[in-house]
Amino acid sequence: MLADTQKSPSLSLILNDVLLLTKARLTLSVVFSSIAGYLLAVSSPSIWHLLLLSVGGYGLAGASNAFNQIIEKEIDAKMIRTQNRPIPAGRMSVSVAFGIAVTLLVLGLAVLYFINPKTAMFGAISVFLYTCAYTPLKTVTPLSVFVGAIPGAIPFMLGWVSATGSFGLEPGI
């Protein structure tokens, strides 16, 4: 009887929670940075390459943001700005969020590896630094901003490396 009164969430609500988990607007700005790096490195852009870069970049940035929300679930529950996120609001379990994050990570790395291995490597470094260095440090020290600047700068470099297959002075600057 109780099951009859409870409605399961609609597909649009689930999709909305996945977009909130991956911080879609922030993630799209990361993808845009990768595209900018790619466009500066090529003379003749490929739509196929841009699509792969976008999908792979969204996967990695979305995974980073999902891992971030898993790590910060208690903090998010205390702040008005973040307490309606899927995990602290109770609309998504940590295990579901973790599954989404891992799926996006694997998908993103596979797509970027398909472009070239160096692109996937720099993408993996970015996810690692954001998740394992920046996220834990931001509650401890304001110096975390400097640590966070590295994964923040990688997307532009990712676009360049995806286009050229090499890391050099241009993307490094």
Side-chain angles (χ1 to χ4, degrees), residues 34-173:
S34 295
I35 290 170
Y38 169 78
L39 292 174
L40 287 173
V42 297
S43 56
S44 179
S46 160
I47 295 298
W48 177 244
H49 193 116
L50 283 169
L51 179 65
L52 290 173
L53 182 60
S54 297
V55 169
Y58 193 97
L60 294 188
S64 295
N65 289 323
F67 286 129
N68 171 274
Q69 288 188 48
I70 292 167
I71 294 165
E72 294 187 332
K73 64 186 180 297
E74 286 89 14
I75 295 168
D76 285 351
K78 295 176 185 174
M79 295 191 316
I80 292 170
R81 179 180 64 83
T82 57
Q83 61 191 197
N84 194 39
R85 289 179 175 168
I87 299 171
R91 295 187 310 272
M92 184 181 292
S93 69
V94 170
S95 59
V96 168
F98 186 77
I100 291 168
V102 169
T103 300
L104 288 170
L105 177 65
V106 170
L107 173 72
L109 287 174
V111 170
L112 294 180
Y113 190 87
F114 182 77
I115 293 172
N116 68 53
K118 284 185 184 174
T119 303
M121 180 192 68
F122 282 118
I125 290 168
S126 180
V127 172
F128 176 79
L129 288 174
Y130 185 83
T131 304
C132 298
Y134 169 71
T135 296
L137 283 176
K138 71 181 183 178
T139 59
V140 178
T141 176
L143 295 175
S144 65
V145 173
F146 297 109
V147 174
I150 297 167
I154 288 178
F156 174 85
M157 183 186 66
L158 208 66
W160 187 283
V161 172
S162 80
T164 64
S166 64
F167 177 79
L169 185 60
E170 297 92 343
I173 289 173

